[in-house]
Amino acid sequence: MGERKCPLEIMVNDIKFWLGKKVLLTGHTGFKGSWLSIWLQHLGASLTGYSLDPPTNPSLFELAKVGDGMRDIRGDIRNLDSLTKALLESQAEIVIHMAAQPLVRHSYKFPIETYSTNVMGTVNLFEGIRASEKVKAIINVTTDKCYENREWLWGYREIDRIGGHDPYSNSKACSELVTDSYRRSYFDKENYASHGVSLASARAGNVIGGGDWSVDRLVPDCMTALLNGNKITIRNPKAVRPWQHVLEPLGGYLLLAEHLYNDGPQYAEAWNFGPLEADAIPVELLVEKICSKWGSNASFQSDDSYQPHEANHLKLDCTKSHKRLGWLPRWNLDKAIDFVIEWTKSYQNGQSIRESCQKQIDDYLDTKQVN
Ligand SMILES: NC(=O)c1ccc[n+]([C@@H]2O[C@H](COP(=O)([O-])OP(=O)(O)OC[C@H]3O[C@@H](n4cnc5c(N)ncnc54)[C@H](O)[C@@H]3O)[C@@H](O)[C@H]2O)c1
């Protein structure tokens, strides 16, 4: 793979910042939550997680023994009392909220579960934070799908209208509205001196990475088919998504949290964390790349049966994160796919999952230029 040198400068996270910081992470038993927990443990954070059990079997959380390096609390974010108790006991100064029902197709079947988790779960968390005197920085992790999709060719900016066709996308747009309301009503910039809380939201692209077994997600479906020696079946081959390695937005959340904590309300707003323009490509092109990199005659076919509505064209404009946070993606899509395949083959060969994750985090931290 030819490495492309690029003159863009990447803002490197302040590794010492996290040492001993008390952090509450919701959704720590999930795919992104497990990766972020491993990363935060590596940085020396004092980490508490609050979530339901891992949503898949197998799960990255169990395979990488993520719970061993943190306080692992199992609970429902729809339960205000239990969530508030966990938050207060954690004495968290930084809260990263990732617990959610995150799947579009599941949301069509279970809209009540989706809205109650993604909307009232967010309200409950913010209510818990209002009862805490410790929390200084909060990031609500929503999604690129929170934008009202116009099927246009441009990337969505943070100032674009939010909306959402399916219950998942719409519930995340609602979670954004809840965030905005709490920021104006209780954590407003004007009265920062009295409450001391900075609240932001983060909208990432479609993340790929080792250890995701979620159903009806493209790359997990591909990896499962390849591991079983089956042909990959894809839906919506022409749909364009902003693909990125899971470590990219997680690095963005860490950088944003540092700014919220150190610099306060000037960063308390919405932020996009997506790939560069060239890496928003159609599903079929992504799967072609996966097949050619996997080898062993890997192939795919399209499922032409009726599918519930999903957006055709979705991109993020991340100019604001580039310019104001100094955040940039470090790995292009080819490199991200290489890392997913490397991770999956390590899993196939029975190697230590924890070590595979740690090695990729080290590689990511060592990358000082976009390539
Ligand atoms: N994976 C992606 O491509 C992607 C893209 C953009 C945004 N996101 C967002 O990132 C976050 C994490 O996504 P993921 O891919 O890791 O999902 P995941 O399904 O792997 O993990 C979800 C986590 O939420 C927890 N959870 C679900 N319902 C809960 C409840 N009622 N109470 C407490 N915990 C609950 C689960 O136990 C799990 O820990 C979500 O908010 C999702 O919307 C994901």
mmCIF file of all heavy atoms in Angstrom, residues 27-33 51-53 55 75-78 98-100 102 117 141-143 168 172 204-207 217, ligand 1:
data_model
loop_
_atom_site.group_PDB
_atom_site.id
_atom_site.type_symbol
_atom_site.label_atom_id
_atom_site.label_comp_id
_atom_site.label_asym_id
_atom_site.label_seq_id
_atom_site.Cartn_x
_atom_site.Cartn_y
_atom_site.Cartn_z
ATOM 1 N N GLY A 27 -22.707 2.927 27.497
ATOM 2 C CA GLY A 27 -22.526 2.137 26.274
ATOM 3 C C GLY A 27 -21.168 1.466 26.202
ATOM 4 O O GLY A 27 -20.714 1.095 25.119
ATOM 5 N N HIS A 28 -20.535 1.277 27.378
ATOM 6 C CA HIS A 28 -19.169 0.722 27.381
ATOM 7 C C HIS A 28 -19.114 -0.731 26.958
ATOM 8 O O HIS A 28 -18.044 -1.229 26.610
ATOM 9 C CB HIS A 28 -18.535 0.891 28.772
ATOM 10 C CG HIS A 28 -19.163 0.035 29.842
ATOM 11 N ND1 HIS A 28 -20.485 0.170 30.232
ATOM 12 C CD2 HIS A 28 -18.654 -0.979 30.601
ATOM 13 C CE1 HIS A 28 -20.749 -0.713 31.181
ATOM 14 N NE2 HIS A 28 -19.662 -1.411 31.415
ATOM 15 N N THR A 29 -20.242 -1.451 26.986
ATOM 16 C CA THR A 29 -20.215 -2.873 26.601
ATOM 17 C C THR A 29 -20.418 -3.060 25.097
ATOM 18 O O THR A 29 -20.386 -4.185 24.603
ATOM 19 C CB THR A 29 -21.314 -3.670 27.346
ATOM 20 O OG1 THR A 29 -22.599 -3.110 26.988
ATOM 21 C CG2 THR A 29 -21.138 -3.606 28.849
ATOM 22 N N GLY A 30 -20.647 -1.961 24.367
ATOM 23 C CA GLY A 30 -20.892 -2.052 22.925
ATOM 24 C C GLY A 30 -19.596 -1.986 22.131
ATOM 25 O O GLY A 30 -18.485 -1.990 22.684
ATOM 26 N N PHE A 31 -19.750 -1.911 20.823
ATOM 27 C CA PHE A 31 -18.600 -1.917 19.907
ATOM 28 C C PHE A 31 -17.720 -0.675 20.109
ATOM 29 O O PHE A 31 -16.539 -0.778 20.475
ATOM 30 C CB PHE A 31 -19.148 -2.008 18.474
ATOM 31 C CG PHE A 31 -18.168 -1.649 17.407
ATOM 32 C CD1 PHE A 31 -16.957 -2.325 17.289
ATOM 33 C CD2 PHE A 31 -18.456 -0.635 16.492
ATOM 34 C CE1 PHE A 31 -16.052 -1.987 16.280
ATOM 35 C CE2 PHE A 31 -17.566 -0.299 15.493
ATOM 36 C CZ PHE A 31 -16.349 -0.971 15.389
ATOM 37 N N LYS A 32 -18.285 0.508 19.935
ATOM 38 C CA LYS A 32 -17.473 1.716 20.102
ATOM 39 C C LYS A 32 -17.062 1.895 21.557
ATOM 40 O O LYS A 32 -15.949 2.320 21.857
ATOM 41 C CB LYS A 32 -18.261 2.954 19.624
ATOM 42 C CG LYS A 32 -18.335 3.067 18.120
ATOM 43 C CD LYS A 32 -19.284 4.173 17.658
ATOM 44 C CE LYS A 32 -18.701 5.545 17.687
ATOM 45 N NZ LYS A 32 -19.590 6.549 17.029
ATOM 46 N N GLY A 33 -17.982 1.548 22.461
ATOM 47 C CA GLY A 33 -17.696 1.709 23.888
ATOM 48 C C GLY A 33 -16.535 0.831 24.341
ATOM 49 O O GLY A 33 -15.726 1.239 25.185
ATOM 50 N N SER A 51 -24.109 0.462 31.381
ATOM 51 C CA SER A 51 -24.752 -0.057 30.159
ATOM 52 C C SER A 51 -25.542 -1.318 30.472
ATOM 53 O O SER A 51 -25.337 -1.942 31.515
ATOM 54 C CB SER A 51 -23.726 -0.527 29.124
ATOM 55 O OG SER A 51 -22.792 0.427 28.836
ATOM 56 N N LEU A 52 -26.338 -1.715 29.496
ATOM 57 C CA LEU A 52 -26.890 -3.071 29.513
ATOM 58 C C LEU A 52 -25.761 -4.046 29.181
ATOM 59 O O LEU A 52 -24.634 -3.639 28.878
ATOM 60 C CB LEU A 52 -28.008 -3.190 28.471
ATOM 61 C CG LEU A 52 -29.263 -2.338 28.729
ATOM 62 C CD1 LEU A 52 -30.259 -2.514 27.585
ATOM 63 C CD2 LEU A 52 -29.901 -2.684 30.069
ATOM 64 N N ASP A 53 -26.091 -5.330 29.179
ATOM 65 C CA ASP A 53 -25.088 -6.337 28.820
ATOM 66 C C ASP A 53 -24.630 -6.118 27.371
ATOM 67 O O ASP A 53 -25.329 -5.448 26.597
ATOM 68 C CB ASP A 53 -25.695 -7.746 28.947
ATOM 69 C CG ASP A 53 -25.962 -8.100 30.403
ATOM 70 O OD1 ASP A 53 -25.338 -7.464 31.280
ATOM 71 O OD2 ASP A 53 -26.801 -8.988 30.644
ATOM 72 N N PRO A 55 -24.357 -6.145 23.586
ATOM 73 C CA PRO A 55 -25.497 -6.391 22.701
ATOM 74 C C PRO A 55 -25.323 -7.551 21.732
ATOM 75 O O PRO A 55 -26.281 -7.920 21.043
ATOM 76 C CB PRO A 55 -25.632 -5.065 21.930
ATOM 77 C CG PRO A 55 -24.296 -4.408 22.011
ATOM 78 C CD PRO A 55 -23.639 -4.899 23.262
ATOM 79 N N GLY A 75 -26.771 -1.505 33.874
ATOM 80 C CA GLY A 75 -28.043 -0.857 34.180
ATOM 81 C C GLY A 75 -28.636 -0.250 32.927
ATOM 82 O O GLY A 75 -27.970 -0.146 31.893
ATOM 83 N N ASP A 76 -29.890 0.159 33.059
ATOM 84 C CA ASP A 76 -30.652 0.678 31.920
ATOM 85 C C ASP A 76 -30.696 2.204 32.010
ATOM 86 O O ASP A 76 -31.023 2.746 33.081
ATOM 87 C CB ASP A 76 -32.068 0.080 31.990
ATOM 88 C CG ASP A 76 -32.817 0.234 30.676
ATOM 89 O OD1 ASP A 76 -32.720 1.312 30.048
ATOM 90 O OD2 ASP A 76 -33.502 -0.724 30.287
ATOM 91 N N ILE A 77 -30.390 2.894 30.909
ATOM 92 C CA ILE A 77 -30.430 4.361 30.972
ATOM 93 C C ILE A 77 -31.868 4.887 31.041
ATOM 94 O O ILE A 77 -32.081 6.063 31.281
ATOM 95 C CB ILE A 77 -29.671 5.054 29.811
ATOM 96 C CG1 ILE A 77 -30.145 4.573 28.448
ATOM 97 C CG2 ILE A 77 -28.174 4.891 29.941
ATOM 98 C CD1 ILE A 77 -29.622 5.419 27.294
ATOM 99 N N ARG A 78 -32.837 3.983 30.861
ATOM 100 C CA ARG A 78 -34.234 4.416 31.033
ATOM 101 C C ARG A 78 -34.626 4.439 32.503
ATOM 102 O O ARG A 78 -35.715 4.885 32.842
ATOM 103 C CB ARG A 78 -35.160 3.492 30.225
ATOM 104 C CG ARG A 78 -34.974 3.687 28.726
ATOM 105 C CD ARG A 78 -35.629 2.616 27.913
ATOM 106 N NE ARG A 78 -34.957 1.338 28.092
ATOM 107 C CZ ARG A 78 -35.199 0.257 27.382
ATOM 108 N NH1 ARG A 78 -36.116 0.296 26.420
ATOM 109 N NH2 ARG A 78 -34.553 -0.867 27.592
ATOM 110 N N MET A 98 -22.746 7.156 25.059
ATOM 111 C CA MET A 98 -22.835 6.368 23.821
ATOM 112 C C MET A 98 -23.944 5.322 23.872
ATOM 113 O O MET A 98 -24.235 4.710 22.839
ATOM 114 C CB MET A 98 -21.529 5.604 23.608
ATOM 115 C CG MET A 98 -20.370 6.454 23.276
ATOM 116 S SD MET A 98 -19.343 5.508 22.180
ATOM 117 C CE MET A 98 -17.800 5.887 22.758
ATOM 118 N N ALA A 99 -24.517 5.054 25.053
ATOM 119 C CA ALA A 99 -25.540 4.000 25.133
ATOM 120 C C ALA A 99 -26.716 4.380 24.246
ATOM 121 O O ALA A 99 -27.221 5.500 24.313
ATOM 122 C CB ALA A 99 -25.998 3.831 26.582
ATOM 123 N N ALA A 100 -27.126 3.451 23.418
ATOM 124 C CA ALA A 100 -28.219 3.749 22.485
ATOM 125 C C ALA A 100 -28.715 2.464 21.853
ATOM 126 O O ALA A 100 -28.033 1.431 21.882
ATOM 127 C CB ALA A 100 -27.718 4.686 21.378
ATOM 128 N N PRO A 102 -28.770 1.544 18.351
ATOM 129 C CA PRO A 102 -28.096 2.239 17.250
ATOM 130 C C PRO A 102 -28.379 1.703 15.846
ATOM 131 O O PRO A 102 -27.668 2.078 14.915
ATOM 132 C CB PRO A 102 -26.616 1.995 17.592
ATOM 133 C CG PRO A 102 -26.612 0.603 18.162
ATOM 134 C CD PRO A 102 -27.945 0.419 18.848
ATOM 135 N N THR A 117 -35.034 4.679 24.604
ATOM 136 C CA THR A 117 -33.606 4.609 24.932
ATOM 137 C C THR A 117 -32.872 5.865 24.471
ATOM 138 O O THR A 117 -32.132 6.494 25.241
ATOM 139 C CB THR A 117 -32.965 3.367 24.249
ATOM 140 O OG1 THR A 117 -33.664 2.209 24.672
ATOM 141 C CG2 THR A 117 -31.495 3.245 24.590
ATOM 142 N N VAL A 141 -23.013 11.447 22.132
ATOM 143 C CA VAL A 141 -22.651 10.870 20.833
ATOM 144 C C VAL A 141 -23.930 10.579 20.056
ATOM 145 O O VAL A 141 -24.712 9.702 20.439
ATOM 146 C CB VAL A 141 -21.829 9.578 21.052
ATOM 147 C CG1 VAL A 141 -21.625 8.837 19.734
ATOM 148 C CG2 VAL A 141 -20.486 9.919 21.686
ATOM 149 N N THR A 142 -24.161 11.346 18.999
ATOM 150 C CA THR A 142 -25.339 11.045 18.169
ATOM 151 C C THR A 142 -24.839 10.410 16.872
ATOM 152 O O THR A 142 -24.138 9.409 16.935
ATOM 153 C CB THR A 142 -26.248 12.275 17.969
ATOM 154 O OG1 THR A 142 -25.549 13.272 17.254
ATOM 155 C CG2 THR A 142 -26.735 12.802 19.305
ATOM 156 N N THR A 143 -25.105 10.990 15.706
ATOM 157 C CA THR A 143 -24.748 10.303 14.460
ATOM 158 C C THR A 143 -24.861 11.245 13.263
ATOM 159 O O THR A 143 -25.576 12.261 13.328
ATOM 160 C CB THR A 143 -25.695 9.091 14.248
ATOM 161 O OG1 THR A 143 -25.452 8.525 12.960
ATOM 162 C CG2 THR A 143 -27.155 9.487 14.316
ATOM 163 N N TYR A 168 -34.675 5.360 14.124
ATOM 164 C CA TYR A 168 -33.334 5.543 14.705
ATOM 165 C C TYR A 168 -32.810 6.947 14.416
ATOM 166 O O TYR A 168 -32.435 7.685 15.332
ATOM 167 C CB TYR A 168 -32.339 4.500 14.171
ATOM 168 C CG TYR A 168 -30.908 4.866 14.510
ATOM 169 C CD1 TYR A 168 -30.472 4.872 15.830
ATOM 170 C CD2 TYR A 168 -30.000 5.259 13.519
ATOM 171 C CE1 TYR A 168 -29.166 5.255 16.159
ATOM 172 C CE2 TYR A 168 -28.702 5.637 13.837
ATOM 173 C CZ TYR A 168 -28.292 5.629 15.160
ATOM 174 O OH TYR A 168 -27.009 6.020 15.482
ATOM 175 N N LYS A 172 -32.241 10.113 17.122
ATOM 176 C CA LYS A 172 -30.955 10.774 17.377
ATOM 177 C C LYS A 172 -31.074 12.275 17.120
ATOM 178 O O LYS A 172 -30.408 13.077 17.778
ATOM 179 C CB LYS A 172 -29.863 10.143 16.519
ATOM 180 C CG LYS A 172 -29.395 8.792 17.040
ATOM 181 C CD LYS A 172 -28.581 8.964 18.325
ATOM 182 C CE LYS A 172 -27.953 7.680 18.800
ATOM 183 N NZ LYS A 172 -26.973 7.858 19.862
ATOM 184 N N ALA A 204 -20.722 11.370 14.249
ATOM 185 C CA ALA A 204 -19.679 10.650 13.514
ATOM 186 C C ALA A 204 -20.270 9.981 12.282
ATOM 187 O O ALA A 204 -21.490 9.795 12.174
ATOM 188 C CB ALA A 204 -19.051 9.596 14.410
ATOM 189 N N GLY A 205 -19.372 9.572 11.379
ATOM 190 C CA GLY A 205 -19.791 8.832 10.194
ATOM 191 C C GLY A 205 -19.989 7.355 10.508
ATOM 192 O O GLY A 205 -20.052 6.961 11.672
ATOM 193 N N ASN A 206 -20.089 6.544 9.453
ATOM 194 C CA ASN A 206 -20.259 5.093 9.626
ATOM 195 C C ASN A 206 -18.915 4.488 9.999
ATOM 196 O O ASN A 206 -17.985 4.541 9.204
ATOM 197 C CB ASN A 206 -20.735 4.453 8.323
ATOM 198 C CG ASN A 206 -22.202 4.667 8.127
ATOM 199 O OD1 ASN A 206 -22.696 5.781 8.264
ATOM 200 N ND2 ASN A 206 -22.910 3.607 7.817
ATOM 201 N N VAL A 207 -18.826 3.954 11.197
ATOM 202 C CA VAL A 207 -17.527 3.475 11.627
ATOM 203 C C VAL A 207 -17.350 2.000 11.326
ATOM 204 O O VAL A 207 -18.289 1.211 11.391
ATOM 205 C CB VAL A 207 -17.260 3.756 13.126
ATOM 206 C CG1 VAL A 207 -17.217 5.242 13.381
ATOM 207 C CG2 VAL A 207 -18.229 3.062 14.016
ATOM 208 N N ARG A 217 -25.428 -4.582 9.812
ATOM 209 C CA ARG A 217 -24.447 -3.527 9.527
ATOM 210 C C ARG A 217 -23.506 -4.086 8.483
ATOM 211 O O ARG A 217 -23.078 -5.236 8.592
ATOM 212 C CB ARG A 217 -23.645 -3.169 10.783
ATOM 213 C CG ARG A 217 -24.165 -1.983 11.508
ATOM 214 C CD ARG A 217 -23.177 -1.525 12.566
ATOM 215 N NE ARG A 217 -23.820 -0.589 13.461
ATOM 216 C CZ ARG A 217 -23.424 -0.358 14.700
ATOM 217 N NH1 ARG A 217 -22.371 -0.987 15.195
ATOM 218 N NH2 ARG A 217 -24.060 0.515 15.447
HETATM 219 N N1 LIG B 1 -21.385 2.164 14.801
HETATM 220 C C1 LIG B 1 -21.582 3.210 13.997
HETATM 221 O O1 LIG B 1 -21.329 3.178 12.771
HETATM 222 C C2 LIG B 1 -22.075 4.499 14.589
HETATM 223 C C3 LIG B 1 -22.078 5.648 13.764
HETATM 224 C C4 LIG B 1 -22.506 6.869 14.304
HETATM 225 C C5 LIG B 1 -22.941 6.921 15.613
HETATM 226 N N2 LIG B 1 -22.956 5.785 16.397
HETATM 227 C C6 LIG B 1 -23.419 5.918 17.783
HETATM 228 O O2 LIG B 1 -22.367 5.452 18.639
HETATM 229 C C7 LIG B 1 -22.930 4.887 19.821
HETATM 230 C C8 LIG B 1 -22.373 3.491 20.044
HETATM 231 O O3 LIG B 1 -22.719 2.681 18.926
HETATM 232 P P1 LIG B 1 -22.187 1.192 18.778
HETATM 233 O O4 LIG B 1 -22.003 0.951 17.335
HETATM 234 O O5 LIG B 1 -21.058 0.950 19.699
HETATM 235 O O6 LIG B 1 -23.469 0.376 19.277
HETATM 236 P P2 LIG B 1 -23.566 -0.994 20.097
HETATM 237 O O7 LIG B 1 -24.917 -1.571 19.816
HETATM 238 O O8 LIG B 1 -22.393 -1.858 19.836
HETATM 239 O O9 LIG B 1 -23.511 -0.528 21.617
HETATM 240 C C9 LIG B 1 -24.608 0.069 22.243
HETATM 241 C C10 LIG B 1 -24.337 0.182 23.722
HETATM 242 O O10 LIG B 1 -25.478 0.790 24.340
HETATM 243 C C11 LIG B 1 -25.926 -0.040 25.396
HETATM 244 N N3 LIG B 1 -27.368 0.129 25.568
HETATM 245 C C12 LIG B 1 -28.354 -0.063 24.651
HETATM 246 N N4 LIG B 1 -29.553 0.201 25.207
HETATM 247 C C13 LIG B 1 -29.313 0.577 26.498
HETATM 248 C C14 LIG B 1 -30.119 0.970 27.588
HETATM 249 N N5 LIG B 1 -31.456 1.054 27.478
HETATM 250 N N6 LIG B 1 -29.539 1.263 28.767
HETATM 251 C C15 LIG B 1 -28.181 1.170 28.913
HETATM 252 N N7 LIG B 1 -27.369 0.796 27.924
HETATM 253 C C16 LIG B 1 -27.920 0.515 26.725
HETATM 254 C C17 LIG B 1 -25.523 -1.448 25.002
HETATM 255 O O11 LIG B 1 -25.504 -2.320 26.129
HETATM 256 C C18 LIG B 1 -24.150 -1.158 24.415
HETATM 257 O O12 LIG B 1 -23.227 -1.017 25.475
HETATM 258 C C19 LIG B 1 -24.446 4.930 19.640
HETATM 259 O O13 LIG B 1 -24.945 6.069 20.295
HETATM 260 C C20 LIG B 1 -24.621 5.059 18.135
HETATM 261 O O14 LIG B 1 -25.837 5.686 17.802
HETATM 262 C C21 LIG B 1 -22.530 4.586 15.895
#
